[in-house]
Amino acid sequence: METLVKWKEEYSVNIASIDDQHKSFVKIINELYDAFMRKEEEDALGDIVVELADYASLHFKTEEGYFAKTNYPEMAEHVMEHEYFIEQVKAFRNEIKMNTKATTPKIMFFLRDWLTHHITNIDKRYQSHLIGHGIQ
Ligand SMILES: [Fe+2]
């Protein structure tokens, strides 16, 4: 299988439940990339984007649940990042209906850039706070 994003140790936030979910995200992005490389995106894209949206909402719920439980001081800013992502995916779902071929690379690169930036810049900020509150 072709991969667009490779998991790196530097992406780890040292919280197993969150790392596992981030790895699943990487897997979904790579599924999309693989379909694109095999030119099967027109059949696969709709399903993968639904899978992605469902997975994102589960993952954001997990993170936001930890924030609420531990009174994370940067919760509001972080939730805004998640909302931006959800809005982008919604917009892409509309674009797909109009032009799947042209939308696929846009989605792939958006996902890769968003995830790697979000993990290394935004998620890393909660690492010591959540670990300090016993989140694993
Ligand atoms: Fe996050």
Side-chain angles (χ1 to χ4, degrees), residues 22 59-60 63 67 78 82 114 118 122-123 126:
H22 285 156
H59 172 58
F60 295 161
E63 282 191 356
F67 299 162
H78 198 127
H82 291 168
W114 189 87
H118 185 80
I122 313 290
D123 286 346
Y126 62 52

Side-chain angles (χ1 to χ4, degrees), residues 49 84-98 103 106-107:
V49 172
Y84 168 76
F85 178 88
I86 291 166
E87 285 310 309
Q88 288 296 306
V89 171
K90 253 191 222 157
F92 282 134
R93 286 173 85 164
N94 289 325
E95 268 189 60
I96 290 166
K97 287 180 200 146
M98 293 184 284
T103 310
K106 281 210 271 184
I107 298 179

